Every structure is written in structure tokens, then in C-alpha cells.
Amino acid sequence: MRTAVFLAAVAIVATAPATPPKEEEVKEEEEEKRPIVILLNERTPPEGATYAFAIETENGISFSEVGVPGSNGQANVKGVYRYLKEDGTVAEVRYVADEGGFRPESALLPIAPPFPHPIPLFVQEQIAFAEEQRRLKALQKQKEEEEEQEKEQPQQQVE
């Protein structure tokens, strides 16, 4: 008997209509499904490494970028993108990508703490010693190459 009453209660709960969603939840759900309107979409077609574009959306996102030819045949790029943070402030990241690599700039990016202490003298001496060793090795290599060239020159004159 208890089992029958329990099963009947479960069946009633399972078939009971769900509570309707709150009006706020319905609005949020509709906003999530609605496409975001693009306010600006300007593009300059690429010619080699030269191009440009700018995009802005109604939800506060903007992105623009300009590319120009670099010295090694690559595209050097400058750009900026912005978006609204949850607190309503605008987040901005500016960047450059060229022969020097990718370099972003923004207040959002972490900054490394300053070096905690001066470099000890013995470390500076080791660095100077290693630099001197590199310099001497380069001089030795240059001297060997010059000697090799001198050996080849008399043989060319004899022939």
C-alpha cells in the first residue's frame, strides 16, 4: 500500500506543470538568442601585405587593424581591440606585430615585478668572462679564415 501511494505521488509530481519562467529569465534568454548587430564593417582589400579593416558591434566590441609591407616581405601590423567589461568600463589592447615580434600594450596585461636585488659582483664577472671568451673565439675563427684564404690565393696564381 505504501508503495502504491508513493508511486502515485511520484506520478502526480512528474505530470504536474512546471512553474513558468520569470519574466527576467525570458528576456535574458531572448537576448542571448538575438544576433548582435554589426554597426561598422569597413575593409580595404589586401594588396600584397597592405590591408585594413575596422569592425564595431552593438555590444561594445570594436577591432581595427592595418597591415603594411615589412622589410622581410611579411606584413607589419598595428591594431587595437576594445570590449566592455562586466563593470561597464572599456578594456583596450593595442598591439604591433613586425620584425620585432608581437608587442601588446594594455593596462590589462600583467607587469613583471622589479628585479628583487642587484646582480652580485661574481655573477657580473662571470658574464664578462663569457663575453670575453666569445670575443676571443670569434677572433680565432676570423684569423683561421684569413689564413685559409691566404693559402688559397697562391694556388690560384700558380694555375
Side-chain angles (χ1 to χ4, degrees):
M1 177 75 173
R2 288 184 188 164
T3 307
V5 172
F6 176 73
L7 291 175
V10 169
I12 291 171
V13 170
T15 59
T19 56
K22 295 179 182 176
E23 189 175 321
E24 295 171 359
E25 292 174 357
V26 171
K27 285 182 182 178
E28 286 178 10
E29 199 171 294
E30 287 175 1
E31 285 181 17
E32 288 178 11
K33 292 180 182 177
R34 188 175 61 82
I36 297 169
V37 177
I38 296 175
L39 304 174
L40 174 71
N41 188 0
E42 294 179 352
R43 296 174 184 271
T44 303
E47 291 182 27
T50 303
Y51 70 94
F53 67 83
I55 300 170
E56 290 182 25
T57 62
E58 70 176 335
N59 63 352
I61 297 172
S62 67
F63 183 27
S64 62
E65 186 173 282
V66 176
V68 296
S71 62
N72 297 325
Q74 80 285 355
N76 287 349
V77 177
K78 288 184 181 182
V80 60
Y81 61 89
R82 296 177 188 93
Y83 60 92
L84 291 176
K85 298 190 324 186
E86 288 184 11
D87 63 4
T89 60
V90 177
E92 179 179 277
V93 177
R94 294 184 172 277
Y95 60 90
V96 173
D98 57 15
E99 294 86 0
F102 180 74
R103 298 181 307 278
E105 294 178 6
S106 175
L108 301 171
L109 299 174
I111 298 173
F115 199 72
H117 53 78
I119 298 175
L121 181 59
F122 76 92
V123 174
Q124 293 177 22
E125 290 171 350
Q126 288 177 340
I127 292 170
F129 179 77
E131 289 173 350
E132 179 66 12
Q133 292 296 311
R134 277 192 219 104
R135 187 184 71 78
L136 292 173
K137 186 175 180 179
L139 285 174
Q140 180 65 30
K141 185 176 180 180
Q142 181 181 4
K143 184 178 177 183
E144 289 172 0
E145 289 172 356
E146 289 172 356
E147 289 174 356
E148 187 67 31
Q149 288 176 354
E150 288 175 4
K151 288 179 184 177
E152 290 176 4
Q153 285 179 354
Q155 290 175 0
Q156 291 174 355
Q157 292 173 356
V158 171
E159 295 175 3

